[in-house]
Amino acid sequence: MPMGGRGIRVLIVGGGIGGLCLAQGLRKAGVDFTVYERDTAAGARQQGYRLRISPEGEAALRACLPPALQELLTVTGHRRGENGLDAYDEQLRPQWTPQFDDPRGDRPDRVDAVDRDILRRILLAGLEDRVRFGRTVVGCEHLPGGRVAARFADGSTAEGDVLVAADGANSQVRGRLLPTSRPTDLGVRTVFSRIAREDAVRAGLPEPLQDRFSYVIGADSHLGLMPMSFRSSPRQAAARLWPGLELPDSGDYYMVVLNVHRDDLGISDQEFFALDGPGLCRFAAHRTAAWHPGLRGLFHHARADLSFGVALRAQVPVTGWDTFPVVPLGDAVHTMPPSGGVGANTAVRDAAALTGALAAVDRGGRDAADAVAEYQKAMAVYATEGVEMSLRIARWSIKKVDAVAGAGEHGN
Ligand SMILES: Cc1cc2nc3c(=O)[nH]c(=O)nc-3n(C[C@H](O)[C@H](O)[C@H](O)COP(=O)(O)OP(=O)(O)OC[C@H]3O[C@@H](n4cnc5c(N)ncnc54)[C@H](O)[C@@H]3O)c2cc1C
């Protein structure tokens, strides 16, 4: 469908990492858009955990953000560590120390990891007039003339030329249009939590683990410990670089991740998902009670209010949606386990690629259906690689992971 240079209107469903990065890209490119987000406000849900940023993810964020927000992301990122991680057994006997090459080398402004809450607030900056909070999309319809409408829980609708489904792993849009396309449950149940750096150190976290990504491989529980040490105060950096934007100073912390296969939980799935924050911390403390003294006390200091349990899932192979003018982006089309830290990086890569496609359509240089099909073709390739890499790392680190029909890495 040619849209001959008249300018298009894009509806973005979901103001998470991918949807907001696309919004920043479209703003930079001068394309008209509105973001519809289910949460009632930017801080409605606690999302303050650490996200690893890959070279591809960093390049995509730089492509979409204006220079001052790029700078803000850099100066609030994780203070540089070394590449790779140290793996131990549960008595902290060293196992492996895999090193990863990083094409960014020693560039001083390299962004290795960020706090997700800070990233999301940076992605929201300058979009106040274009993000509608408290708007839950419950369906979408193709309209005559090739347009599309989003339908909201309150019965209202919004119309546009393209609707981007950036509504995450449980995508309502996918559920409506492709009800049989669902991520596979990998059988792994994960407790995510956060511990203030000073509390972990006071509780006896051994020095070699304090500034490194560390992984502890237990008999049937596996623990990841990732430091998040801010390069500079987010509050002060925002005041300098984007006056009016309020970023919270949460202090340095560790993200802690405990993986257990559901066969080894010792409780039913139903009981696990019914655990609240304090219950999850007690569960994790119990699982690690016989570990090295430097580890066993950690979950007694974890932030119960920032603890949550999830089922790890994956969608592979990734295939584009034949639903134009509805186009997918991020976890909605390529859910993957967080092992390897690839999901958000792939979502922002989608955002940069889709920005390029929609900007060309907006200028009148491309047919919209062709441009979107090209985006989806490339996305399916790199996203499938991303999901398969995440699955390989999950199998290496968690050992017991259920099979995914269609995954190319079986047997690894
Ligand atoms: C603990 C944890 C650690 C992780 N670590 C990493 C990491 O280190 N590196 C990495 O690359 N990835 C990581 N990931 C994965 C990463 O968070 C996701 O891949 C990424 O957030 C996907 O972005 P998205 O925009 O597709 O979805 P989301 O960020 O999930 O955003 C979806 C948005 O849509 C909204 N929404 C949902 N339904 C509707 C609706 N019906 N109407 C309107 N709005 C709706 C939601 O409220 C949400 O804001 C991690 C994930 C977890 C849970």
Side-chain angles (χ1 to χ4, degrees):
M1 181 190 54
M3 287 177 180
R6 64 180 163 75
I8 55 169
R9 178 166 161 61
V10 181
L11 312 177
I12 303 174
V13 180
I17 304 300
L20 291 176
C21 188
L22 173 68
Q24 289 285 354
L26 294 181
R27 165 136 290 175
K28 218 176 181 183
V31 179
D32 184 24
F33 67 90
T34 305
V35 179
Y36 298 99
E37 167 55 44
R38 178 182 60 182
D39 288 350
T40 50
R45 263 181 310 133
Q46 292 283 4
Q47 305 190 343
Y49 50 83
R50 171 189 140 127
L51 285 179
R52 165 195 170 253
I53 300 296
S54 69
E56 296 82 8
E58 184 183 337
L61 285 161
R62 286 181 184 277
C64 292
L65 286 171
L69 292 180
Q70 281 176 37
E71 167 82 4
L72 189 51
L73 191 67
T74 304
V75 300
T76 56
H78 175 57
R79 220 172 41 223
R80 288 281 307 284
E82 299 156 54
N83 297 334
L85 62 89
D86 294 333
Y88 301 89
D89 71 7
E90 55 197 38
Q91 297 308 324
L92 281 188
R93 286 177 290 246
Q95 303 294 305
W96 305 281
T97 304
Q99 294 295 308
F100 309 119
D101 289 337
D102 192 310
R104 292 172 292 187
D106 280 336
R107 233 185 52 209
D109 61 347
R110 174 176 142 179
V111 183
D112 289 328
V114 295
D115 176 87
R116 188 181 200 276
D117 181 44
I118 298 290
L119 171 63
R120 192 159 181 252
R121 287 172 191 269
I122 290 175
L123 288 172
L124 276 164
L127 301 180
E128 294 77 7
D129 58 329
R130 291 306 170 101
V131 181
R132 309 274 181 270
F133 285 104
R135 303 299 304 277
T136 302
V137 171
V138 293
C140 53
E141 278 133 39
H142 292 76
L143 300 175
R147 282 169 64 83
V148 63
R151 195 156 36 78
F152 300 96
D154 62 6
S156 62
T157 57
E159 291 185 20
D161 298 296
V162 174
L163 182 151
V164 180
D167 52 344
N170 297 316
S171 171
Q172 285 261 353
V173 177
R174 185 188 65 223
R176 288 275 157 176
L177 298 181
L178 302 162
T180 57
S181 164
R182 270 185 227 110
T184 304
D185 186 346
L186 301 173
V188 178
R189 304 298 175 248
T190 300
V191 178
F192 288 98
S193 191
R194 182 166 138 171
I195 305 174
R197 182 184 173 93
E198 58 194 25
D199 290 343
V201 170
R202 212 178 303 124
L205 183 69
E207 203 271 328
L209 282 72
Q210 289 178 10
D211 291 305
R212 291 277 290 161
F213 177 174
S214 310
Y215 200 78
V216 182
I217 303 170
D220 52 19
S221 304
H222 311 278
L223 177 79
L225 190 79
M226 290 139 241
M228 177 70 217
S229 301
F230 293 90
R231 271 181 174 142
S232 55
S233 145
R235 191 176 54 77
Q236 288 173 11
R240 180 168 63 85
L241 290 163
W242 199 273
L245 173 65
E246 289 184 17
L247 294 183
D249 277 338
S250 64
D252 295 349
Y253 64 86
Y254 295 97
M255 179 165 101
V256 277
V257 179
L258 186 83
N259 295 307
V260 184
H261 191 275
R262 71 178 149 209
D263 295 348
D264 304 320
L265 280 176
I267 54 177
S268 69
D269 242 6
Q270 209 180 6
E271 288 167 316
F272 176 77
F273 288 114
L275 292 173
D276 58 7
L280 286 166
C281 293
R282 279 195 299 275
F283 170 84
H286 174 70
R287 302 291 305 199
T288 51
W291 288 16
H292 185 278
L295 296 171
R296 67 175 70 138
L298 280 181
F299 278 97
H300 296 298
H301 299 274
R303 290 274 306 268
D305 58 328
L306 297 178
S307 301
F308 56 99
V310 298
L312 299 193
R313 294 181 296 163
Q315 183 125 24
V316 69
V318 177
T319 47
W321 295 2
D322 191 14
T323 54
F324 184 80
V326 176
V327 189
L329 177 155
D331 278 9
V333 60
H334 46 65
T335 303
M336 60 187 92
S339 39
V342 183
N345 288 291
T346 313
V348 295
R349 201 169 164 186
D350 297 350
L354 190 52
T355 294
L358 294 176
V361 175
D362 190 69
R363 290 192 300 269
R366 291 288 316 260
D367 173 83
D370 285 352
V372 161
E374 200 173 284
Y375 149 73
Q376 293 214 73
K377 195 169 164 213
M379 177 271 290
V381 174
Y382 63 70
T384 297
E385 285 168 11
V387 182
E388 295 200 329
M389 184 176 108
S390 302
L391 282 169
R392 272 197 303 278
I393 295 175
R395 283 185 208 292
W396 170 79
S397 58
I398 310 173
K399 310 288 182 215
K400 203 163 158 183
V401 177
D402 293 350
V404 185
E409 44 58 80
H410 279 183
N412 285 347

